[in-house]
Amino acid sequence: MEELEHSCPHPRTTLTEPAIFAKETSCDCRAPHERLTIKQACRGTPVDRPVRVYADGIFDLFHSGHARALMQAKNLFPNTYLIVGVCSDELTHKYKGFTVMDESERYEALRHCRYVDEVVRDAPWTLSHDFLHKHKIDFVAHDDIPYSSAGSEDVYKHIKEAGMFVPTQRTEGISTSDLITRIVRDYDVYARRNLQRGYTAKELNVSYINEKKYRLQNQVDRMKEKVRTVEEKSKHFVYRVEERSHDLIQKWEEKSREFIGNFLELFGPDGTWKQVFQERSGRMISYALSPRGSPCSSPPREHSPLRSPSPPSPSARWHSARPSPPPSPKGASASISSMSEGDEDEK
């Protein structure tokens, strides 16, 4: 009997396209699908086909906690083909509650996760043997916390008992319920945000009174923001003025020191101006004590022998005929003393 080769689809090697949707028969491989143990899967056997791991969930508001769980499932074994089942809106609303995203949005969110190779739409709430056999699932990955739902204490109990369950770790601090809690807690903030972005009160299911209240609060916040902006600008302007004034004062001090230094150098006790003044004063004193000699008088002109002297003018005759004034007593005494001194010298 000829041995059939496995033709199971292999994990994605390129991320340029989203993951495929599972068909009615997920794997068309006709080769017998032998059950694997965890040890065999960890060793990478069988080598002719990947290990088919299934992970299911609601995946509402797809977040990093979902992605980390799928990343763990994808890396459980060396060669893993990850199949992700997403429950429909009908099952989810029946067993868990209302979702933010509808089923088509949740399907598309999973298709564009890099760790997912195949997406099963309208996945069952509880995994049956027929479903596992149809999709040729080797292992089921989920966190180890018992998941009580649909009248069962743990919907994965029979999977664990069959040795097909592989646990993953939850990401603390992030979940769909946490995200919804944040939105409900800060409902007013998000309602005001969406009103400001152009949504109508009808779209947000907000009453007329609340709409006016939110719009008023938005106006108040805008005014506060403007005031805060003006305050920041004024603080920046004051800081620049202070910095500029500090620079001006520093330059003024430098110029003042330079001016005072130049003034002292010019007019100080040993300044240049004092030396110039002393030199000029010395020159003036020396000029006063020793004046320059007067120019020599021109020699008298000799009368030409051929020409007779001109007769004196009437004014000259009047001056010569004018009697000389009598000498003053001081002058007379001075002349007498000089004459007596002359006589003594002659003796």
Side-chain angles (χ1 to χ4, degrees):
M1 184 177 180
E2 183 181 356
E3 186 176 355
L4 298 176
E5 294 182 358
H6 286 281
S7 59
C8 298
H10 290 271
R12 286 194 298 164
T13 57
T14 178
L15 299 178
T16 57
E17 295 180 358
I20 62 173
F21 283 122
K23 299 178 181 178
E24 196 64 32
T25 55
S26 177
C27 182
D28 296 331
C29 178
R30 295 183 179 182
H33 193 83
E34 299 179 357
R35 182 178 175 183
L36 299 177
T37 64
I38 294 179
K39 290 183 178 180
Q40 288 176 330
C42 290
R43 287 199 303 265
T45 55
V47 295
D48 55 349
R49 73 171 180 89
V51 179
R52 296 172 66 85
V53 177
Y54 178 81
D56 60 353
I58 309 302
F59 301 106
D60 191 21
L61 297 177
F62 189 81
H63 51 75
S64 61
H66 296 142
R68 286 176 61 87
L70 298 177
M71 179 186 68
Q72 295 177 58
K74 178 70 174 179
N75 293 290
L76 286 171
F77 308 110
N79 187 19
T80 301
Y81 186 84
L82 182 59
I83 307 167
V84 178
V86 183
C87 299
S88 64
D89 288 344
E90 182 182 357
L91 283 177
T92 305
H93 297 168
K94 179 180 179 181
Y95 292 112
K96 190 169 185 177
F98 192 75
T99 59
V100 178
M101 301 169 66
D102 60 33
E103 58 185 25
S104 60
E105 293 172 334
R106 292 184 286 117
Y107 297 156
E108 287 297 323
L110 266 298
R111 287 188 68 198
H112 292 83
C113 178
R114 61 183 298 184
Y115 309 113
V116 178
D117 296 303
E118 187 177 319
V119 175
V120 177
R121 292 171 288 190
D122 193 13
W125 197 262
T126 302
L127 300 178
S128 64
H129 178 75
D130 294 339
F131 179 83
L132 297 174
H133 179 73
K134 183 177 73 172
H135 293 280
K136 297 183 179 180
I137 296 171
D138 295 311
F139 300 100
V140 176
H142 200 273
D143 61 83
D144 203 13
I145 301 173
Y147 194 86
S148 58
S149 179
S152 173
E153 295 181 358
D154 187 4
V155 295
Y156 298 103
K157 182 178 179 181
H158 63 288
I159 304 295
K160 294 176 181 178
E161 293 174 350
M164 299 176 63
F165 186 84
V166 183
T168 57
Q169 299 296 322
R170 291 179 64 89
T171 302
E172 297 297 331
I174 183 69
S175 68
T176 302
S177 299
D178 291 338
L179 296 178
I180 294 175
T181 300
R182 296 180 200 176
I183 296 173
V184 173
R185 180 186 60 199
D186 300 326
Y187 169 77
D188 289 350
V189 176
Y190 294 113
R192 289 168 52 192
R193 169 185 178 273
N194 282 7
L195 282 173
Q196 194 172 5
R197 291 172 65 90
Y199 288 87
T200 63
K202 184 177 181 181
E203 290 174 330
L204 297 174
N205 196 24
V206 174
S207 66
Y208 177 81
I209 296 176
N210 285 336
E211 178 191 3
K212 296 304 178 184
K213 181 183 72 173
Y214 293 151
R215 292 192 184 280
L216 178 61
Q217 289 175 344
N218 288 336
Q219 291 179 359
V220 172
D221 288 346
R222 282 195 294 269
M223 290 297 298
K224 288 181 179 179
E225 186 66 26
K226 288 182 180 179
V227 172
R228 192 179 300 111
T229 303
V230 171
E231 288 179 352
E232 291 178 357
K233 288 183 178 179
S234 61
K235 287 180 181 178
H236 181 65
F237 175 75
V238 170
Y239 173 75
R240 289 184 61 187
V241 170
E242 290 179 352
E243 186 178 9
R244 183 69 176 171
S245 61
H246 179 72
D247 293 340
L248 291 175
I249 291 172
Q250 188 174 3
K251 290 181 180 179
W252 181 82
E253 290 178 351
E254 293 176 357
K255 293 293 182 182
S256 300
R257 294 192 193 98
E258 183 179 354
F259 175 78
I260 293 171
N262 293 337
F263 183 84
L264 292 176
E265 183 179 354
L266 187 61
F267 298 102
D270 299 326
T272 306
W273 183 256
K274 183 177 181 182
Q275 296 176 4
V276 173
F277 181 75
Q278 288 177 351
E279 289 178 2
R280 287 198 172 185
S281 299
R283 273 190 212 144
M284 293 175 66
I285 293 170
S286 63
Y287 290 162
L289 293 177
S290 57
R292 294 179 181 178
S294 59
C296 298
S297 58
S298 59
R301 285 198 300 183
E302 297 179 356
H303 297 286
S304 172
L306 298 178
R307 294 181 61 184
S308 62
S310 60
S313 62
S315 62
R317 286 198 302 269
W318 182 82
H319 279 292
S320 61
R322 187 179 178 185
S324 61
S328 63
K330 290 184 181 180
S333 62
S335 61
I336 294 170
S337 62
S338 62
M339 290 174 60
S340 62
E341 288 177 359
D343 294 339
E344 289 178 359
D345 289 339
E346 290 178 358
K347 289 179 181 180

